[in-house]
């Protein structure tokens, strides 16, 4: 591309930008925005706030809170070994049919010694 052609294109682009700038000077909406910005800057200065403070007030970020797991606590498996019969019982509850039968037959204190320590 020749230098003259580049110059003419740049000149045309400049004319378009100047026309656009001139149209902005008479835009009522732009005037309102500039007035708002000036008033906002004066208020920020008067109250000692920064622009980020205003953004945080108007649009606060959600606070990250660790979610608590709500529900029942998982019970540990208990292992009971009957020394008389050698039978092994694994249960998560003291409300087991076999365990209740052992306690009824041999006594609760004696059966409580059959619980295996982990």
């Amino acid at each position: 591309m020749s230098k003259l052609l580049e110059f003419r294109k740049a000149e045309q682009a400049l004319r378009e930008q100047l026309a656009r700038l001139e149209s902005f000077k008479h835009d009522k909406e732009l005037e309102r925005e500039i007035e708002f910005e000036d008033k906002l800057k004066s208020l920020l200065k008067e109250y000692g706030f920064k622009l980020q403070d205003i953004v945080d007030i108007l649009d606060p970020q959600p606070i990250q809170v660790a979610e608590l797991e709500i529900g029942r606590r998982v019970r540990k498996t208990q292992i009971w070994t009957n020394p008389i019969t050698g039978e092994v019982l694994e249960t998560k509850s003291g409300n087991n049919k076999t365990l209740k039968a052992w306690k009824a037959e041999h006594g609760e204190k004696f059966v409580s010694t059959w619980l295996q320590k982990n």
Side-chain angles (χ1 to χ4, degrees):
M1 184 180 334
S2 74
K3 294 280 183 182
L4 181 60
L5 186 58
E6 282 184 52
F7 174 76
R8 297 263 162 89
K9 282 187 176 182
E11 195 175 43
Q12 178 63 30
L14 179 60
R15 276 195 297 266
E16 290 172 2
Q17 289 292 326
L18 287 172
R20 187 167 178 229
L21 181 62
E22 195 62 35
S23 70
F24 277 137
K25 287 182 180 179
H26 303 294
D27 187 2
K28 296 293 181 191
E29 187 65 29
L30 178 63
E31 288 177 12
R32 287 186 63 225
E33 287 184 25
I34 291 172
E35 180 184 359
F36 175 77
E37 182 185 26
D38 292 341
K39 287 181 179 180
L40 181 60
K41 283 182 180 178
S42 67
L43 281 173
L44 289 174
K45 188 175 180 182
E46 180 181 340
Y47 288 97
F49 279 97
K50 297 178 192 150
L51 188 57
Q52 187 60 46
D53 297 331
I54 302 303
V55 170
D56 290 340
I57 290 171
L58 296 176
D59 188 23
Q61 297 298 317
I63 298 173
Q64 297 292 334
V65 177
E67 290 187 25
L68 299 176
E69 186 175 320
I70 299 174
R72 291 186 163 190
R73 178 178 49 95
V74 178
R75 295 180 180 176
K76 293 182 182 178
T77 302
Q78 298 174 337
I79 301 173
W80 302 80
T81 305
N82 185 333
I84 301 167
T85 63
E87 186 179 357
V88 176
L89 172 66
E90 292 185 18
T91 182
K92 291 186 176 186
S93 167
N95 195 19
N96 184 282
K97 178 174 69 172
T98 306
L99 187 59
K100 280 185 172 182
W102 287 350
K103 287 178 180 179
E105 184 179 344
H106 302 288
E108 192 165 334
K109 279 191 172 189
F110 184 54
V111 173
S112 66
T113 62
W114 299 355
L115 179 61
Q116 304 297 309
K117 305 276 192 265
N118 290 351

